[in-house]
Amino acid sequence: LYKRIGANPTETKPDGSPRYTLPLIQDASTGAVVSDSALIAEYLDATYPDTPKLFPPGTAPLQYAFMDALLRGTLNDLLQLCVVKSNSFLNPGSREHHRRAISTSFGTEKIEDLVLDEKALWAKARVGLAKVDAWYQKGKGEGPYLMGNTICFADLVFASYTYWPKKIWGKDSTQWQDMLTWNEGRFGVLAESLAKFETVI
Ligand SMILES: N[C@@H](CCC(=O)N[C@@H](CS)C(=O)NCC(=O)O)C(=O)O
């Protein structure tokens, strides 16, 4: 599909080959084809100026730096727990592809190697979320989001980590119920404030 509609690969795999990911959009009103969620958000902000902006003017550099810190470090332990758990929900064809993609991306032989000491990994995931909480706390309660009361793209990236564990372990699971208490319950409050963005309309 990527090649057929002329989309750019989003990333390069460790072996140098292109990586094609979702989401990908083709805007029927302009003909534009855009891949990568952040670039899609930037495109929509620019093309439909009368809608709320996910990258308000001047915020893109800091938002990209924040997302990089989240995705390449702080949330890595939670990510490992989530990707391994998610594998079991996929259909057989996707499951194999996912196993290969995850093993390549993390440099492991099999994905189970990522969660050998699950208890220790949960403890590290908790430390990671405490760090994110400290960043959010810098907002001094001016609103639940990074920019206070204005939602931005980076909040939505973090929201995927308040939605994903709830979805895969289940809202009544010990894992999710435990997470809700983290950061003196602030993780649960933040998850709640981001929950309204979980539904695609
Ligand atoms: N930077 C990309 C990452 C997207 C991404 O990793 N998508 C995953 C699904 S959540 C994917 O399409 N994986 C396919 C693969 O690795 O083969 C974005 O934000 O859109």
Side-chain angles (χ1 to χ4, degrees):
L1 177 68
Y2 257 75
K3 287 180 183 155
R4 181 152 56 80
I5 66 175
N8 294 321
T10 43
E11 288 161 36
T12 306
K13 293 184 193 174
D15 67 4
S17 61
R19 182 166 181 242
Y20 302 98
T21 57
L22 292 175
L24 163 71
I25 64 161
Q26 183 169 39
D27 185 346
S29 25
T30 63
V33 172
V34 191
S35 51
D36 186 86
S37 54
L39 295 182
I40 292 170
E42 288 199 65
Y43 165 80
L44 294 173
D45 276 358
T47 311
Y48 301 96
D50 299 333
T51 54
K53 301 266 165 294
L54 285 175
F55 283 97
T59 66
L62 285 176
Q63 286 207 60
Y64 276 101
F66 180 84
M67 292 187 284
D68 201 56
L70 281 187
L71 300 177
R72 312 248 173 255
T74 322
L75 295 182
N76 205 45
D77 302 301
L78 183 57
L79 172 75
Q80 286 181 215
L81 288 159
C82 288
V83 284
V84 175
K85 175 77 180 168
S86 300
N87 186 259
S88 57
F89 294 103
L90 302 176
N91 65 39
S94 300
R95 199 177 300 157
E96 280 318 304
H97 171 82
H98 185 250
R99 293 183 79 86
R100 276 196 306 276
I102 297 301
S103 306
T104 309
S105 147
F106 283 91
T108 52
E109 204 173 304
K110 50 184 193 325
I111 61 170
E112 285 73 20
D113 293 347
L114 292 173
V115 289
L116 286 179
D117 189 346
E118 202 172 327
K119 198 163 168 231
L121 206 53
W122 274 108
K124 282 163 70 187
R126 186 170 182 159
V127 171
L129 282 179
K131 200 166 176 183
V132 179
D133 175 61
W135 292 332
Y136 270 88
Q137 291 266 63
K138 294 281 181 196
K140 305 206 177 359
E142 282 162 22
Y145 309 125
L146 281 175
M147 295 180 351
N149 285 309
T150 309
I151 187 97
C152 69
F153 187 77
D155 288 303
L156 298 182
V157 169
F158 183 61
S160 58
Y161 286 84
T162 63
Y163 174 70
W164 194 7
K166 178 170 65 177
K167 188 75 185 163
I168 56 180
W169 277 285
K171 66 178 173 45
D172 298 322
S173 63
T174 31
Q175 285 87 344
W176 179 248
Q177 289 301 319
D178 189 33
M179 285 181 82
L180 291 177
T181 67
W182 290 3
N183 307 325
E184 296 163 347
R186 283 189 299 275
F187 178 79
V189 173
L190 187 57
E192 182 57 35
S193 71
L194 292 166
K196 56 175 169 287
F197 302 106
E198 289 170 4
T199 312
V200 178
I201 42 169

